[in-house]
Amino acid sequence: CLKLETPPEIEHIIDFKSAKEAFLMGMRDLGSALDFFVLDGFVTEHIKILQEMSQLWKELAKIELDPARRAKMHKRRINLLKTPLHDISQSAYRQEFQQLC
């Protein structure tokens, strides 16, 4: 049974620490959504959630000052988005496949 909760108010993000807190909340909630919208049965929804997770990594990387850590964040984005490529039918999910490539 899904329980919908009112999301907490997020103060202005002024530094990396506050950005990371917002990032972790978002990743936690998207992870819960992935648990429900599994790839086998909810392909489109699952991929949209992965894209949202990738976007969170992208936004966090924008304010990371260390180039090495920023590169690792982008690598995580790539790995996150390429995961379902091997598990979905390219012909049945052509648009989703193209978005991930």
Side-chain angles (χ1 to χ4, degrees), residues 7-100:
E9 288 289 323
I10 297 177
E11 299 294 323
H12 293 287
I13 296 175
I14 55 173
D15 57 10
F16 188 81
K17 181 182 176 192
S18 58
K20 188 171 181 180
E21 289 173 10
F23 168 83
L24 291 173
M25 281 192 303
M27 291 298 279
R28 181 196 66 221
D29 292 343
L30 289 170
S32 295
L34 275 183
D35 290 341
F36 183 80
F37 293 105
V38 294
L39 188 59
D40 184 21
F42 298 98
V43 174
T44 304
E45 292 83 358
H46 190 89
I47 289 173
K48 286 180 182 178
I49 295 166
L50 291 177
Q51 289 172 326
E52 289 293 326
M53 292 173 101
S54 172
Q55 190 65 32
L56 284 178
W57 278 112
K58 181 180 179 180
E59 295 303 321
L60 188 63
K62 285 181 181 178
I63 58 173
E64 173 57 59
L65 300 176
D66 181 5
R69 287 185 59 178
R70 190 170 39 243
K72 289 177 185 177
M73 290 178 184
H74 288 299
K75 177 80 170 155
R76 287 184 181 162
R77 293 181 62 220
I78 292 167
N79 290 336
L80 187 67
L81 294 175
K82 76 177 184 180
T83 302
L85 288 176
H86 304 289
D87 299 327
I88 64 173
S89 167
Q90 183 176 356
S91 59
Y93 296 99
R94 182 180 314 273
Q95 184 177 2
E96 289 82 0
F97 199 87
Q98 288 176 344
Q99 287 175 355
L100 294 173

